[in-house]
Amino acid sequence: DVKVTQSSRYLVKRTGEKVFLECVQDMDHENMFWYRQDPGLGLRLIYFSYDVKMKEKGDIPEGYSVSREKKERFSLILESASTNQTSMYLCASSLSGGARAQYFGPGTRLLVL
Amino acid sequence: EDKVVQSPLSLVVHEGDTVTLNCSYEVTNFRSLLWYKQEKKAPTFLFMLTSSGIEKKSGRLSSILDKKELSSILNITATQTGDSAIYLCAVAHSGTYKYIFGTGTRLKVLA
């Protein structure tokens, strides 16, 4: 079974803090993704990575950065957290090439005060 | 702009009912359409559809793609309370790694 894990289920941070969200997958997938999920807006892509050290901006990259130093690990960084970044963050991974399903981690619910 | 629209937004049924959830899309360079079930946490993968008219089935769930109508349906027969969830539809974009998600259909099954 594909397993995608995220470092925290719940996080509470203060405005201006630097926040790290980590995601690890154990299936040797090339592609990894970070989404945020908000009511009425669905899943929106923040960043994705198709290889180690490679990244591409998604639809809403502002205020976020990412790091992929190892194939299995993809980190999302909020450089200076703001209240409008309160959300559910979902990491996903998939194989590359052709039609591939994404597999999701359990999510991190982030509250920025 | 690429978009995926799901309907209805929410649905309440009784155990034993059959439900049909709809997903329509306007996506340039379509590669595949995926269905997910999301309970309290991560979306779990249900089906991936790439060819028109071929039904995918898993137990009481089934899905089919109509590329001419740019749509897909997800059917659930003999619903159970455990089917209560948000059902997400996503379209994979050919030529990029992007998946475009709909906002989901929230299904509640009453005992």
Side-chain angles (χ1 to χ4, degrees):
Chain A
D1 274 358
V2 176
K3 193 164 181 189
V4 181
T5 57
Q6 293 183 230
S7 49
S8 307
R9 292 297 309 278
Y10 301 95
L11 270 182
V12 180
K13 295 290 180 182
R14 296 234 172 248
T15 302
E17 279 193 80
K18 192 167 186 175
V19 182
F20 293 87
L21 304 182
E22 281 221 312
C23 174
V24 178
Q25 50 94 4
D26 67 357
M27 285 303 292
D28 205 34
H29 284 176
E30 292 85 7
N31 300 333
M32 295 188 76
F33 306 79
W34 275 107
Y35 293 90
R36 61 178 285 176
Q37 185 177 30
D38 301 288
L41 297 176
L43 272 75
R44 293 180 292 166
L45 181 65
I46 304 171
Y47 268 98
F48 64 94
S49 168
Y50 50 91
D51 201 350
V52 175
K53 295 192 187 294
M54 305 305 288
K55 61 187 179 187
E56 284 205 23
K57 292 180 180 179
D59 299 316
I60 50 163
E62 297 79 18
Y64 303 95
S65 62
V66 289
S67 170
R68 193 159 178 209
E69 297 296 319
K70 293 185 178 181
K71 190 175 185 180
E72 67 271 17
R73 192 179 296 269
F74 192 35
S75 301
L76 179 70
I77 303 147
L78 286 66
E79 297 289 343
S80 177
S82 64
T83 54
N84 63 12
Q85 292 178 310
T86 290
S87 187
M88 167 72 99
Y89 290 88
L90 291 165
C91 175
S93 72
S94 74
L95 289 168
S96 66
R100 301 291 187 180
Q102 285 187 317
Y103 294 88
F104 285 85
T108 296
R109 193 168 289 281
L110 173 67
L111 172 63
V112 182
L113 301 173
Chain B
E1 185 184 330
D2 293 334
K3 63 180 178 181
V4 174
V5 177
Q6 293 184 245
S7 63
L9 289 179
S10 65
L11 194 53
V12 179
V13 300
H14 288 92
E15 269 192 322
D17 288 350
T18 292
V19 298
T20 299
L21 310 184
N22 299 285
C23 176
S24 63
Y25 60 91
E26 291 176 26
V27 175
T28 53
N29 300 319
F30 173 94
R31 189 207 298 263
S32 61
L33 186 144
L34 302 97
W35 284 97
Y36 291 87
K37 177 183 181 182
Q38 185 176 23
E39 296 171 90
K40 292 201 190 300
K41 39 184 184 174
T44 52
F45 172 70
L46 294 175
F47 298 113
M48 181 167 64
L49 305 157
T50 55
S51 300
S52 215
I54 298 174
E55 186 183 54
K56 293 263 177 120
K57 201 168 166 65
S58 176
R60 296 175 294 102
L61 277 67
S62 63
S63 183
I64 197 161
L65 175 66
D66 185 339
K67 282 186 173 179
K68 193 174 173 185
E69 296 295 325
L70 305 183
S71 66
S72 174
I73 59 170
L74 175 69
N75 279 320
I76 309 174
T77 58
T79 51
Q80 302 171 356
T81 54
D83 296 326
S84 296
I86 296 172
Y87 290 85
L88 296 170
C89 172
V91 171
H93 204 277
S94 177
T96 75
Y97 299 96
K98 279 192 171 185
Y99 296 73
I100 300 115
F101 281 81
T103 53
T105 292
R106 185 181 293 272
L107 173 66
K108 187 169 179 65
V109 182
L110 302 175

